[in-house]
Amino acid sequence: LGVAHFLEHMAFNGLRSFDADELIPEMQRLGIAFGAHANAATSFDETYYELDLPNSTDEKALNLGFTVMRDFADGILLEEEEIEKERGVILSELTSSDSVSYRLTKKLWSWLLPGHRLPLRWPGGSPDVISTVPRQRFVDFYEDYYTPERITFIACGDADPEEMERRIIEAYESMKGDQDYNTGDGSDLLGSVVTGTGFAAAVFSDNELVAEEIFLTFSRPYDMPADTESERVSQFPLSLSHSIVSDRLQKAAKKEGSPFRSGGAGGSGREGILGRSGIETGEIGVTLASGSDGNWKVSIPIIEQEFRRALEFGFTPYELDVVKASYMRYYQRMVDVAATRHSQGLATELRETIKGQSVFTTPTEDLRLFSQAMESIMPDDVHAAFKSFWDTSDLKLVLYSKE
């Protein structure tokens, strides 16, 4: 636990082309600030490194960028002295990132997913492992996972594509591949999602919690389908249904004396680490208003009423028209600002599509898909999608409480 995260840190502490105390000063001389322009992060299923070069035509900056990126792939030195120095840095980082949201999510996932390994594999790592993991463990992990088959190189900016392709090939063509590489996603090694548990309720407390929450949720196995045009269109009715339920809860929150201050609904298997780990989940809930210890009790009947109302009676044409218009404005706005997107943001979008096994599409294409789909989506379609998604006997009621 935490070896991938630790290894990410070591990439900035000694490379084939730069000693531990050379890389960051060299980047700074070229206007590349560590943190602002050079960074890295490790999540459940990826580690990424990013360099935001100040000028895509600066030959020195480009040379450094490609040298560093190649060294990240197979040139991290992993010197014993640097490993020992970095242990304290990571332990401090674990302490600073130990937020309320993090602690409550860990509790929820451990309770909701007892047969799955995801709640046991938090990417930051455990203090015990960070304090004791030996150098050879890093070497083994590095050689097993930092291979061409697992690496994606993304370049965005005002640069000639052919020249950029030439540089990428030149930088990586000598890197040795993994002859035993398995193209599977590894989800079969993550355990299973337990079903048939029926309704249950749980309270998870944290004294540092600012706003209490109460929500309905569920989890079930999920096999992510290919990201085709028809698959995306098929997801629109469910998304619209959750938007309408969210609108209803938001209106209820605005009423005088409401026990909650906001509410929402959502869920699918398509997005996020849960879906990529073979888990589909949904959530309908509210953030409680402050000032009364009994707000959670009063909120439960309202959540249940709105949930049953959506299940049994569906949605009105007017409600559907309102959320359709909201979606249309969003997609049109994305088209309007497409030409002004920053390179770093565009690179992040590309990385997310690769990680999520989806197809990168332009804002214009997204608007086209939505516009065409909206012509045929009726209230009955949205109602059917909501009923189908929430057709489970394994609902869980969860309260996040201060005590």
Side-chain angles (χ1 to χ4, degrees), residues 5 8-9 11-12 34-35 38-42 47-50 72 93:
H5 177 213
E8 166 223 314
H9 276 244
F12 295 92
F34 182 70
N39 217 327
T42 297
T47 294
Y48 70 86
Y49 302 89
E50 59 182 10
F72 286 164
E93 186 179 284

Side-chain angles (χ1 to χ4, degrees), residues 7 13 24 38 42 94 129 165 204 206 220 278 287 291 300 337 339 351 363:
L7 182 58
N13 288 281
I24 293 177
T42 297
L94 292 180
V129 171
E165 181 181 14
F204 301 113
D206 194 297
R220 61 175 166 240
T287 299
I300 292 175
V337 302
R351 180 172 58 80

Side-chain angles (χ1 to χ4, degrees), residues 132-336:
T132 61
V133 60
R135 179 182 184 277
Q136 189 58 46
R137 183 69 185 89
F138 293 117
V139 173
D140 293 342
F141 184 93
Y142 194 31
E143 293 178 349
D144 288 345
Y145 288 94
Y146 279 60
T147 66
E149 295 83 2
R150 294 178 174 86
I151 292 174
T152 300
F153 190 99
I154 299 172
C156 292
D158 185 15
D160 178 56
E162 292 185 359
E163 171 62 14
M164 195 59 65
E165 181 181 14
R166 183 194 68 76
R167 283 180 173 272
I168 295 171
I169 293 173
E170 184 180 85
Y172 288 92
E173 64 181 347
S174 64
M175 189 175 177
K176 295 180 180 180
D178 180 1
Q179 301 298 322
D180 300 320
Y181 177 67
N182 181 355
T183 57
D185 59 9
S187 59
D188 57 327
L189 303 176
L190 293 174
S192 60
V193 181
V194 178
T195 59
T197 55
F199 179 84
V203 178
F204 301 113
S205 302
D206 194 297
N207 291 331
E208 296 181 15
L209 183 65
V210 175
E212 296 183 326
E213 301 176 37
I214 188 165
F215 53 92
L216 285 170
T217 187
F218 73 87
S219 62
R220 61 175 166 240
Y222 180 71
D223 186 12
M224 185 179 291
D227 182 29
T228 63
E229 182 171 317
S230 60
E231 170 61 22
R232 286 201 191 181
V233 170
S234 73
Q235 293 297 314
F236 283 137
L238 177 62
S239 180
L240 290 165
S241 74
H242 284 149
S243 293
I244 295 174
V245 174
S246 295
D247 284 349
R248 289 176 175 179
L249 289 171
Q250 286 295 95
K251 288 178 181 178
K254 294 178 181 179
K255 293 181 180 179
E256 185 175 354
S258 174
F260 53 89
R261 66 186 192 190
S262 65
S268 79
R270 183 80 243 180
E271 304 293 335
I273 182 59
L274 291 173
R276 297 195 301 274
S277 302
I279 305 165
E280 184 171 57
T281 185
E283 184 175 311
I284 296 176
V286 299
T287 299
L288 301 178
S290 58
S292 175
D293 293 338
N295 278 337
W296 67 270
K297 294 181 181 179
V298 186
S299 296
I300 292 175
I302 301 175
I303 297 172
E304 196 274 342
Q305 180 182 17
E306 291 299 347
F307 179 54
R308 295 299 172 190
R309 177 185 170 195
L311 280 178
E312 296 178 17
F313 303 107
F315 313 101
T316 68
Y318 173 76
E319 288 178 313
L320 181 56
D321 287 343
V322 169
V323 295
K324 279 184 178 181
S326 176
Y327 278 47
M328 187 65 74
R329 288 192 298 271
Y330 167 78
Y331 284 114
Q332 184 60 59
R333 186 167 64 254
M334 292 301 100
V335 171
D336 294 341

